Amino acid sequence: MATIYVDNKPYEVKPGQSLLSACLGLGLNLPYFCWHPALGSVGACRQCAIKQFKDENDTRGRLVMACMTPVAEKVRISIEDKEAVDFRAGVIEGLMQSHPHDCPVCDEGGECHLQDMTVMTGHIYRQYEYTKRTFHNQYLGPFVNHEMNRCIQCYRCVRYYREYAGESDLNSFLMRNQVFFGRSQDGVLQSEFAGNLVEICPTGVFTDKTLKQHYTRKWDLQMAPSICVHCGLGCNTTAGERYGTVRRIVNRYNGDVNGYFLCDRGRFGYEFVNRKERIRQPLQRKNGSLEAISAEQAQEHLKSLVATGNKVIGIGSPRASLEANFALRTAVGAVRFFSGVSEADARLASLILDVLRKGPARTPSLTDMEMADAVLVLGEDVMNVAPRAALALRQSTRQAPMEIARKKGIADWQDDAVREAVQEEKGPLYIATPNATRLDGIAKETFRAAPDDIARLGFAVANAIDPAAPAPPGLPSAVADLAARIAQTLKGAQRPLVVCGAGCRSEAVIQAAANVAAALAKSNQGVALSFAAPECNTMGLAMMGGAPLEAAFQAVRDGNADTVIVLENDLYRRADSKPVDEFLKGAKHVVALDYLPNSTTGQAELILPAGSFAEADGTFVNSEGRAQRFFQVFLPQDPILESWRWLRAAGQGDSAAWKNLDNVLDAMAQSLPAFKRVPEAAPESGFRISGAKVPREPHRYSGRTAMLANISVSEPKPPEDQDSPLSFTMEGNPNEPPSALIPFFWAPGWNSIQSTNKFQSEIAGPLKGGNPGVRLIEPAAGSAPSYFTAAPEGFHAKHGEWLTVPLYHIFGSEELSNWAPAVRELAPGPYAALSPEEAAALGVIEGQIIQIAANGSQFQLPLKVAKELPKGVVGLPVGLPDFRGPLMPAWVSISRAI
Amino acid sequence: MEKPLTQKIRTDGEVVDVAAYEQAGGYQALRKAVKLAPKEIMETVKQSNLRGRGGAGFPTGMKWSFVPMGADAPRPKYIVCNGDEMEPGTFKDRLLLEGDPHELIEGMILAAFAIEAEVGYVFLRGEYKLAGERVGRAIQEAQQRGYLGKNILGSERSLEMHVHMSAGRYMCGEETGLLNALEGKRGNPRAKPPFPQVSGLWGKPTIVQNVETLCNLPHIVQNGPEWFKGLSKTADGGTKIYGASGKVKRPGLWELPLGTTVREILEEHAGGMKDGVKFRGLLPGGASTDFLVAEHLDVKMDFAEVQKAGSRMGTGTMIVLDDQTCPVGMVWNLERFFAQESCGWCTPCWSGLNWAARMLEALEEGRGDPGHLDKLAYITRFVAPGNTYCALAPGAAEPLQSGLKYFREDFERHITEKRCPWRH
């Protein structure tokens, strides 16, 4: 630690940071614009000017930029020095020259960093008396709105977009007081992380276009800590509601998970909650048509179905919370609980779980992934399956070259100087996938092959690291050479990382990744092994267990089950239509709990309106194995209930006595040892700060007495939240809630998301009291590495048959976000992808319809020529809203459609 | 009087080709230098007291001494010639580039030897097309004669050299802005430290040197530091190409001993003011230097003396203001230029210069008010060195702050008369 003196007061701060970061970390108010904790310092805006003194006898001092000056022992600075104060006011005055002062009609108003900093510096009177510069705004796609006249030229947007997120279609043009930040022409922003511009921009140039559809000021939002439901990474989010609709999602900082950034699917997928198609009433199918029934009738019906001696089974879901799955499991009994995924998916998930539990490699947090200095991606299209992890991997490629700058004495946070010294140098990232990925541009080498060949590469890498690991037979020398290069790089790294997942639908690929990690672990305890999980609770469900869907199908077929309760799950996305049809039609009674109608609810006799993430509390286990709690954002007007509340009524055992979420969590922790620590993920419902709950609403929340006045002039009693220590009003104690309970980031004078600074124990470090979440999976201590021995044979293209490989789309492959209009707009249509050679051999060109026959089903799809796809495979998109292909992997035949 | 830099330059405007250059003793310094260790060249230049001729006057030998040397040094290293010459009123490098490009090339090779650079770039102002052609041709000639390329004159040393024409921004004349432009990026300046000597072009050790500075090197290496120091009338060695523009009788350039007085340049070489106009003041070294007035005419034009007089020698090419020209209009013209050329990176520069230019425009058009003068003075302090990211805005403040000091009455007349007294 170093002692610094700020306005003559000594403080202990961590060396290796800028004075700005140190001052903010101390809780001191020092205004800034161009600096961002994730982007480092560039010294552009000059807003953080302070006085620096040589020693205690120096009374004159000189102005320096806090962001560009390193912390050093005994450094003496002043924030309050008059010259510094005046200069900072001058900078704001300068920044504001052309700002339109349109706060009342600006979406950023009320959470605007420019407003906050202007108030902080005390600039109040506009002296600049000339015309302002103006710009044309651009169409940037369905997510982000552009209003350039508000720009103050801090350059954060382009630095984030180009340098951090690595996309080049947003740029700075022109010069002087007229720099334009935008694209060369109108068009959809290409980055999958463009939505972060909304938070990166300190004012209202880039704002959330989906929020604009139903705009509400931040202070008028009721907010709660939430977890993203659109992939398995479990990014922490803050969801905001007003008048019963979710208005927007913003990032919720978690130093171990998403840090400052979300992907666009996570930020903009929320609109599924607001769809008019939502199931808002319990529905009962009578004589073929659905009728709305009351909640009580629904409860009674469910109870009677369970109680009348029917043979009930429950189908769980990887997109439902642990609590919901556990309630179903409790209601039907452990042996009658099925996991809700196909046997193939379940096998992959449990293999992943076994590998992680056995060790020796540890699953990394996203922050750990960012810090990796050599990465092997085996089989997974990270950008499209677990997008935020792709952003982390992009940062990982900065780690190794950082040494170049360090050798020159450049501090890590000196962003421009570091990038200048490092240039295009990238740390090692090897990507082995069936098709091209969006990370290829920063990869050292890429390898395109069918899943079995990808697995063989992995086995070969493991073997090259540790000869005791089994070698794949008959490897071509080019692949063996590549494996040797990868092995050497990984072996030489301090924090090597292997990234894999179920994306190839191949156990061999997962085993190969496990072998690589195990081989590395022999000489390096720091090795990390990450498996992407496709859904928000894939991992939690795998840990809970339960037989796969095929077993449930069999149970109905065998007459061992006649009543099926399906929890938040569209089975048609899990298995081929035919067996699902047979299953649902074969069962006497089908109950479905869900938020939105789908083919499964279409077969149900009783449909129960389940609370989405916004209307329920619960816990997800992310791909890291971290249990994270999400909290109800608002209480729905309609009889929508948390799935566990519907299901507790059906239970014959303990569950009927569950009063609140704590009871569910305790029961689960007791009956399932794997979930023993889940209750620790957040404080229990009885937690209070000085006797008060934590308010979901900011203290400026308006309209409380008026918002329902059209219904009744008496203000209704605010609803009680039995499940959490959060209140549904602005009453309560907002001061420093435990990190898992932070409903929104706000601090006096800091209305924008930049107030995150005030909640961290150090800038860009953990939240005060530790980052939320509990890691449930740690590798068994001292376990000796053991290897999977069954390296597959090389892939052989068959004549007249093609192996399907799944292709993923950030916008399009995930079920819930497809209901969000903005996401849907960017989803591709159905297609089949072939390599150029094979397309030519079939005599078809891009866009032409080809016919695919698989397992008795026929699909007519337009051809997409995929330059890098290997021969002998056909790529088919996964999960698109309008297309349900064959279950993969499968061998199919292809012909030109007539 | 010796004029080493310009002695070979032809009066007919044609270029000195390689044969003529060799005949006049060219590339002899290089022949000498291939036998010298880098350290010896560096030491010679240090002793000569050569200071940079681009405006800032940094000692050349010292600049080189920060370059990492030896086997561990990052490679390649670069020598970059700054021929951007966008300073208003400055055209001295153009003379050297167009007239005697081999002198520059030989100088660059010597500098490259001193720092063990492998690659050289001549970065030229976009409008200097003729210079670009002539330097390009001279590089080819030098290559053919073995002065450039691999194993120069049979030695172990190699240097490849390229011409790069600027896309045209004042900011590209600032050495780090130049490096960014050369890399194909926005011509914004970089933060210092790290200095280009450590992390320059493409992150590698780089020396950026003005044309005139480099042209001095063959003569220093050939004739020795003592000879070089003897050329000068002051402590800093060498001659200087001085220039004058404005309403003087003979605007032009003259190579004179460093330390020649302002009066001698103005009255003897430039022939004094044109008939009918009177001297009011001058910017001694380009647009970004403070005004000097009549009381300063006997100041020696060198780095230290001009500074004592409250200005900077800068590029040494003066812009002369006469009594028939409106000083407010002149300052407005300059500030409008600087505001336009601000890269838009740091707030004091892009906002302050824009504001100053708009206020000066208002003054000129009779819309000034008394508060404007205080605000203008405030802006000159607002963009003081250290407050801004680079030296552009502090330089821009120099003619404005000294203009307000020496021509205050003229500024005030614009306000009280609500018009420009020079316009009718």
Side-chain angles (χ1 to χ4, degrees), chain A residues 42-46 87 90 93-94 97 128-131 152-153 155 172 174-177 408 417 420 423, chain B residues 169 183 185-186 190 198 202-203 339 342 344 346-348 351 354-355 358-359 372 375 378 386-389:
Chain A
V42 293
C45 73
R46 318 307 272 180
F87 180 74
E93 185 176 35
Q97 255 176 29
Y128 181 79
E129 55 203 342
Y130 307 103
T131 51
I152 56 160
Q153 297 188 202
Y155 291 83
S172 46
L174 306 176
M175 48 198 293
R176 58 185 169 114
N177 66 331
K408 293 184 174 187
E420 200 49 58
Q423 293 282 321
Chain B
R169 277 300 167 205
E183 289 181 17
K185 298 174 181 160
R186 278 181 76 92
R190 298 176 181 173
V198 176
W202 288 296
S342 166
C346 77
T347 315
S351 73
N354 169 59
W355 200 339
R358 299 295 290 267
M359 272 191 285
H372 282 159
K375 194 72 200 175
Y378 160 78
N387 293 4
T388 56
Y389 194 80

Side-chain angles (χ1 to χ4, degrees), chain A residues 30-68:
Chain A
L30 183 55
Y32 63 87
F33 289 104
C34 66
W35 177 86
H36 185 282
L39 303 181
S41 303
V42 293
C45 73
R46 318 307 272 180
Q47 188 60 63
C48 66
I50 50 169
K51 240 337 168 27
Q52 184 174 9
F53 302 95
K54 278 207 263 315
D55 51 44
E56 54 260 61
N57 301 320
D58 178 7
T59 51
R60 279 186 61 200
R62 64 188 183 101
L63 285 186
V64 297
M65 300 307 132
C67 72
M68 297 296 275

